[in-house]
């Protein structure tokens, strides 16, 4: 997994939740609290390249943070 903030790729494994280089949260979620992806005890994560949620159309957290503008 490549960090969308700093580009670091050498994480310990695919299950890490935070970048060990810059510390950002590595899980892309839907920003809409009412979305079905956020309506259970554990959030359903979106693909890292998703700019918008495919279930409700809301902006993703990575897009909200501007990570796609860095390319």
């Amino acid at each position: 997994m490549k960090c969308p903030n700093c580009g670091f790729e050498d994480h310990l494994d695919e299950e890490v939740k935070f970048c060990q280089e810059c510390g950002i949260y590595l899980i892309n979620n839907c920003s809409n609290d009412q979305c079905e992806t956020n309506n259970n005890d554990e959030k359903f994560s979106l693909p890292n390249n998703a700019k918008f949620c495919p279930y409700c159309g809301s902006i993703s957290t990575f897009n909200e943070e501007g990570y796609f503008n860095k390319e």
Side-chain angles (χ1 to χ4, degrees), residues 8-24:
F8 185 77
E9 294 186 61
D10 195 23
H11 297 284
L12 296 174
D13 59 51
E14 289 294 317
E15 301 298 318
V16 297
K17 293 183 180 179
F18 295 91
C19 177
Q20 59 199 58
E21 184 71 16
C22 71
I24 69 131

PDB file of all heavy atoms in Angstrom, residues 8-24:
ATOM      1  N   PHE A   8       5.113   6.797   0.924  1.00  0.00           N
ATOM      2  CA  PHE A   8       5.839   5.675   1.523  1.00  0.00           C
ATOM      3  C   PHE A   8       5.147   4.360   1.170  1.00  0.00           C
ATOM      4  O   PHE A   8       3.926   4.262   1.236  1.00  0.00           O
ATOM      5  CB  PHE A   8       5.907   5.855   3.041  1.00  0.00           C
ATOM      6  CG  PHE A   8       6.734   4.820   3.754  1.00  0.00           C
ATOM      7  CD1 PHE A   8       8.110   4.887   3.737  1.00  0.00           C
ATOM      8  CD2 PHE A   8       6.124   3.790   4.446  1.00  0.00           C
ATOM      9  CE1 PHE A   8       8.883   3.940   4.398  1.00  0.00           C
ATOM     10  CE2 PHE A   8       6.882   2.838   5.117  1.00  0.00           C
ATOM     11  CZ  PHE A   8       8.265   2.914   5.093  1.00  0.00           C
ATOM     12  N   GLU A   9       5.926   3.336   0.789  1.00  0.00           N
ATOM     13  CA  GLU A   9       5.346   2.060   0.366  1.00  0.00           C
ATOM     14  C   GLU A   9       5.807   0.853   1.167  1.00  0.00           C
ATOM     15  O   GLU A   9       5.237  -0.215   1.029  1.00  0.00           O
ATOM     16  CB  GLU A   9       5.672   1.811  -1.109  1.00  0.00           C
ATOM     17  CG  GLU A   9       5.032   2.793  -2.041  1.00  0.00           C
ATOM     18  CD  GLU A   9       5.266   2.429  -3.493  1.00  0.00           C
ATOM     19  OE1 GLU A   9       4.824   1.344  -3.894  1.00  0.00           O
ATOM     20  OE2 GLU A   9       5.888   3.235  -4.205  1.00  0.00           O
ATOM     21  N   ASP A  10       6.810   0.982   1.970  1.00  0.00           N
ATOM     22  CA  ASP A  10       7.406  -0.182   2.635  1.00  0.00           C
ATOM     23  C   ASP A  10       6.793  -0.433   4.013  1.00  0.00           C
ATOM     24  O   ASP A  10       7.502  -0.527   5.015  1.00  0.00           O
ATOM     25  CB  ASP A  10       8.921   0.024   2.734  1.00  0.00           C
ATOM     26  CG  ASP A  10       9.661  -1.259   3.071  1.00  0.00           C
ATOM     27  OD1 ASP A  10       9.118  -2.343   2.814  1.00  0.00           O
ATOM     28  OD2 ASP A  10      10.783  -1.160   3.589  1.00  0.00           O
ATOM     29  N   HIS A  11       5.459  -0.548   4.072  1.00  0.00           N
ATOM     30  CA  HIS A  11       4.784  -0.803   5.342  1.00  0.00           C
ATOM     31  C   HIS A  11       4.989  -2.254   5.770  1.00  0.00           C
ATOM     32  O   HIS A  11       5.268  -3.114   4.938  1.00  0.00           O
ATOM     33  CB  HIS A  11       3.290  -0.490   5.214  1.00  0.00           C
ATOM     34  CG  HIS A  11       3.034   0.953   4.924  1.00  0.00           C
ATOM     35  ND1 HIS A  11       3.139   1.937   5.873  1.00  0.00           N
ATOM     36  CD2 HIS A  11       2.706   1.595   3.781  1.00  0.00           C
ATOM     37  CE1 HIS A  11       2.879   3.104   5.342  1.00  0.00           C
ATOM     38  NE2 HIS A  11       2.616   2.936   4.058  1.00  0.00           N
ATOM     39  N   LEU A  12       4.826  -2.502   7.051  1.00  0.00           N
ATOM     40  CA  LEU A  12       5.052  -3.836   7.589  1.00  0.00           C
ATOM     41  C   LEU A  12       4.190  -4.892   6.902  1.00  0.00           C
ATOM     42  O   LEU A  12       4.649  -5.966   6.586  1.00  0.00           O
ATOM     43  CB  LEU A  12       4.771  -3.851   9.094  1.00  0.00           C
ATOM     44  CG  LEU A  12       5.694  -2.971   9.939  1.00  0.00           C
ATOM     45  CD1 LEU A  12       5.222  -2.946  11.383  1.00  0.00           C
ATOM     46  CD2 LEU A  12       7.118  -3.477   9.851  1.00  0.00           C
ATOM     47  N   ASP A  13       2.915  -4.595   6.682  1.00  0.00           N
ATOM     48  CA  ASP A  13       2.018  -5.496   5.974  1.00  0.00           C
ATOM     49  C   ASP A  13       0.793  -4.727   5.493  1.00  0.00           C
ATOM     50  O   ASP A  13       0.678  -3.530   5.726  1.00  0.00           O
ATOM     51  CB  ASP A  13       1.610  -6.684   6.856  1.00  0.00           C
ATOM     52  CG  ASP A  13       0.910  -6.274   8.139  1.00  0.00           C
ATOM     53  OD1 ASP A  13      -0.052  -5.484   8.077  1.00  0.00           O
ATOM     54  OD2 ASP A  13       1.300  -6.768   9.209  1.00  0.00           O
ATOM     55  N   GLU A  14      -0.116  -5.403   4.829  1.00  0.00           N
ATOM     56  CA  GLU A  14      -1.304  -4.755   4.265  1.00  0.00           C
ATOM     57  C   GLU A  14      -2.352  -4.413   5.322  1.00  0.00           C
ATOM     58  O   GLU A  14      -3.309  -3.722   5.029  1.00  0.00           O
ATOM     59  CB  GLU A  14      -1.934  -5.653   3.200  1.00  0.00           C
ATOM     60  CG  GLU A  14      -1.117  -5.750   1.939  1.00  0.00           C
ATOM     61  CD  GLU A  14      -1.016  -4.439   1.179  1.00  0.00           C
ATOM     62  OE1 GLU A  14      -2.040  -3.741   1.046  1.00  0.00           O
ATOM     63  OE2 GLU A  14       0.090  -4.105   0.729  1.00  0.00           O
ATOM     64  N   GLU A  15      -2.183  -4.873   6.537  1.00  0.00           N
ATOM     65  CA  GLU A  15      -3.164  -4.657   7.595  1.00  0.00           C
ATOM     66  C   GLU A  15      -2.894  -3.419   8.445  1.00  0.00           C
ATOM     67  O   GLU A  15      -3.679  -3.104   9.326  1.00  0.00           O
ATOM     68  CB  GLU A  15      -3.243  -5.890   8.508  1.00  0.00           C
ATOM     69  CG  GLU A  15      -3.632  -7.166   7.785  1.00  0.00           C
ATOM     70  CD  GLU A  15      -5.022  -7.089   7.168  1.00  0.00           C
ATOM     71  OE1 GLU A  15      -5.941  -6.565   7.823  1.00  0.00           O
ATOM     72  OE2 GLU A  15      -5.171  -7.544   6.016  1.00  0.00           O
ATOM     73  N   VAL A  16      -1.794  -2.714   8.189  1.00  0.00           N
ATOM     74  CA  VAL A  16      -1.490  -1.532   8.993  1.00  0.00           C
ATOM     75  C   VAL A  16      -2.535  -0.450   8.748  1.00  0.00           C
ATOM     76  O   VAL A  16      -3.108  -0.360   7.666  1.00  0.00           O
ATOM     77  CB  VAL A  16      -0.067  -0.972   8.722  1.00  0.00           C
ATOM     78  CG1 VAL A  16       0.991  -1.980   9.111  1.00  0.00           C
ATOM     79  CG2 VAL A  16       0.104  -0.523   7.299  1.00  0.00           C
ATOM     80  N   LYS A  17      -2.809   0.352   9.765  1.00  0.00           N
ATOM     81  CA  LYS A  17      -3.821   1.394   9.669  1.00  0.00           C
ATOM     82  C   LYS A  17      -3.224   2.797   9.578  1.00  0.00           C
ATOM     83  O   LYS A  17      -3.902   3.727   9.169  1.00  0.00           O
ATOM     84  CB  LYS A  17      -4.776   1.318  10.858  1.00  0.00           C
ATOM     85  CG  LYS A  17      -5.607   0.057  10.842  1.00  0.00           C
ATOM     86  CD  LYS A  17      -6.584   0.022  11.977  1.00  0.00           C
ATOM     87  CE  LYS A  17      -7.381  -1.262  11.901  1.00  0.00           C
ATOM     88  NZ  LYS A  17      -8.339  -1.381  12.971  1.00  0.00           N
ATOM     89  N   PHE A  18      -1.970   2.936   9.956  1.00  0.00           N
ATOM     90  CA  PHE A  18      -1.320   4.240   9.943  1.00  0.00           C
ATOM     91  C   PHE A  18       0.026   4.135   9.233  1.00  0.00           C
ATOM     92  O   PHE A  18       0.737   3.152   9.375  1.00  0.00           O
ATOM     93  CB  PHE A  18      -1.112   4.762  11.369  1.00  0.00           C
ATOM     94  CG  PHE A  18      -2.396   5.029  12.089  1.00  0.00           C
ATOM     95  CD1 PHE A  18      -2.992   4.040  12.846  1.00  0.00           C
ATOM     96  CD2 PHE A  18      -3.016   6.263  11.989  1.00  0.00           C
ATOM     97  CE1 PHE A  18      -4.196   4.269  13.503  1.00  0.00           C
ATOM     98  CE2 PHE A  18      -4.214   6.501  12.646  1.00  0.00           C
ATOM     99  CZ  PHE A  18      -4.807   5.505  13.408  1.00  0.00           C
ATOM    100  N   CYS A  19       0.371   5.175   8.489  1.00  0.00           N
ATOM    101  CA  CYS A  19       1.648   5.208   7.786  1.00  0.00           C
ATOM    102  C   CYS A  19       2.772   5.322   8.812  1.00  0.00           C
ATOM    103  O   CYS A  19       2.736   6.191   9.688  1.00  0.00           O
ATOM    104  CB  CYS A  19       1.687   6.404   6.833  1.00  0.00           C
ATOM    105  SG  CYS A  19       3.265   6.587   5.974  1.00  0.00           S
ATOM    106  N   GLN A  20       3.749   4.457   8.692  1.00  0.00           N
ATOM    107  CA  GLN A  20       4.865   4.492   9.644  1.00  0.00           C
ATOM    108  C   GLN A  20       5.878   5.583   9.308  1.00  0.00           C
ATOM    109  O   GLN A  20       6.781   5.852  10.088  1.00  0.00           O
ATOM    110  CB  GLN A  20       5.534   3.120   9.739  1.00  0.00           C
ATOM    111  CG  GLN A  20       6.087   2.609   8.447  1.00  0.00           C
ATOM    112  CD  GLN A  20       6.320   1.107   8.463  1.00  0.00           C
ATOM    113  OE1 GLN A  20       5.420   0.313   8.679  1.00  0.00           O
ATOM    114  NE2 GLN A  20       7.560   0.728   8.245  1.00  0.00           N
ATOM    115  N   GLU A  21       5.677   6.284   8.183  1.00  0.00           N
ATOM    116  CA  GLU A  21       6.557   7.389   7.801  1.00  0.00           C
ATOM    117  C   GLU A  21       5.977   8.745   8.236  1.00  0.00           C
ATOM    118  O   GLU A  21       6.674   9.560   8.813  1.00  0.00           O
ATOM    119  CB  GLU A  21       6.786   7.371   6.289  1.00  0.00           C
ATOM    120  CG  GLU A  21       7.743   8.408   5.788  1.00  0.00           C
ATOM    121  CD  GLU A  21       9.199   8.148   6.166  1.00  0.00           C
ATOM    122  OE1 GLU A  21       9.554   7.024   6.563  1.00  0.00           O
ATOM    123  OE2 GLU A  21       9.983   9.093   6.074  1.00  0.00           O
ATOM    124  N   CYS A  22       4.681   8.985   7.952  1.00  0.00           N
ATOM    125  CA  CYS A  22       4.091  10.296   8.272  1.00  0.00           C
ATOM    126  C   CYS A  22       2.955  10.230   9.294  1.00  0.00           C
ATOM    127  O   CYS A  22       2.512  11.257   9.795  1.00  0.00           O
ATOM    128  CB  CYS A  22       3.605  11.000   7.004  1.00  0.00           C
ATOM    129  SG  CYS A  22       2.137  10.264   6.258  1.00  0.00           S
ATOM    130  N   GLY A  23       2.455   9.027   9.580  1.00  0.00           N
ATOM    131  CA  GLY A  23       1.466   8.850  10.631  1.00  0.00           C
ATOM    132  C   GLY A  23       0.008   9.030  10.247  1.00  0.00           C
ATOM    133  O   GLY A  23      -0.863   8.927  11.094  1.00  0.00           O
ATOM    134  N   ILE A  24      -0.301   9.258   8.964  1.00  0.00           N
ATOM    135  CA  ILE A  24      -1.710   9.457   8.602  1.00  0.00           C
ATOM    136  C   ILE A  24      -2.452   8.130   8.588  1.00  0.00           C
ATOM    137  O   ILE A  24      -1.866   7.067   8.442  1.00  0.00           O
ATOM    138  CB  ILE A  24      -1.879  10.183   7.245  1.00  0.00           C
ATOM    139  CG1 ILE A  24      -1.439   9.296   6.090  1.00  0.00           C
ATOM    140  CG2 ILE A  24      -1.214  11.510   7.220  1.00  0.00           C
ATOM    141  CD1 ILE A  24      -2.472   9.268   4.994  1.00  0.00           C
TER     142      ILE A  24
END
